[in-house]
Amino acid sequence: LFLGRLPAEGVGNYFVPVLFQFILVFPLLNRWCDKHFPSFVWGCLALDVAFELLCRDLPLHQPLTAFLYTGCLLRYLFAVALGVWLAQVRPDGRLAAGEWAGVAASLGLLFAWYAANGAWPPFNPLSGGISCLIAGYPLGLAALGLRFLPVTPRRAAGRLVGAFGQNSYHIYLVQMLYFISIYRFLDLLVFSK
């Protein structure tokens, strides 16, 4: 509990400690970003890649090791740096052709991973260190959202989607509790049979 971990294993246990780490580290990242923006973006990429290379041989099948790996903010630094870059350099979501090429390359890596493995493990927290390589994928989604979604939705469906986005933290906590308690119960009684 000191680390912010729920007392049982489940999908998303790493979310709470990562949130605490970002609360502590974001002021430092913000200062770094304000002082020298290019070194911030490239430095976050370098830290992300260095962390993945250091963790390459960890026994990620063990629950504690897997939790410590997925719960470390260094895995997410490049995606955060790209988000900051998008907010500062392209706040309207209009990416240049070369930037869309980076998004396409990221998607290409994602599909190549799928073709080689027959699954979508890049979204699995234990995917083996390719999160920085596919960070262009969420960048592209965010750019499309900034470009085409209204800032203030006028229709009821848009307001409903906006309300889900605002409550996503709570939805995620409910999801974690579902996988920890209800899903295990259903797995024992229903799914395993």
Side-chain angles (χ1 to χ4, degrees), residues 29 32 36-51 74 77-78 81:
L29 292 176
W32 184 12
H36 195 256
F37 186 70
S39 73
F40 165 74
V41 174
W42 292 109
C44 284
L45 174 61
L47 287 171
D48 193 330
V49 170
F51 175 75
L74 293 173
L77 276 183
F78 187 54

Side-chain angles (χ1 to χ4, degrees), residues 74-192:
L74 293 173
R75 291 189 69 227
Y76 312 102
L77 276 183
F78 187 54
V80 168
L82 287 180
V84 171
W85 173 85
L86 183 65
Q88 291 191 1
V89 177
R90 303 277 192 260
D92 60 355
R94 291 181 186 262
L95 298 182
E99 294 155 357
W100 279 115
V103 171
S106 178
L107 277 170
L109 285 168
L110 199 61
F111 285 116
W113 185 278
Y114 177 73
N117 297 296
W120 289 101
F123 298 111
N124 182 335
L126 306 179
S127 62
I130 67 161
S131 60
C132 58
L133 298 177
I134 61 168
Y137 166 70
L139 173 74
L141 288 178
L144 289 173
L146 287 170
R147 182 81 179 99
F148 295 110
L149 293 177
V151 175
T152 53
R154 293 182 180 90
R155 296 187 177 153
R159 287 194 302 273
L160 179 65
V161 171
F164 276 126
Q166 290 173 348
N167 292 311
S168 63
Y169 176 73
H170 302 290
I171 292 168
Y172 200 81
L173 289 177
V174 169
Q175 174 188 345
M176 288 190 309
L177 293 173
Y178 166 78
F179 278 110
I180 289 169
S181 58
I182 298 170
Y183 181 78
R184 287 192 176 190
F185 178 74
L186 290 175
D187 188 35
L188 289 172
L189 294 179
V190 179
F191 299 144
S192 61

Side-chain angles (χ1 to χ4, degrees), residues 53-76:
L53 290 174
L54 287 171
C55 294
R56 199 173 50 194
D57 296 325
L58 288 178
L60 295 178
H61 58 279
Q62 295 176 0
L64 180 61
T65 309
F67 169 72
L68 293 173
Y69 172 74
T70 56
C72 184
L73 68 87
L74 293 173
R75 291 189 69 227
Y76 312 102

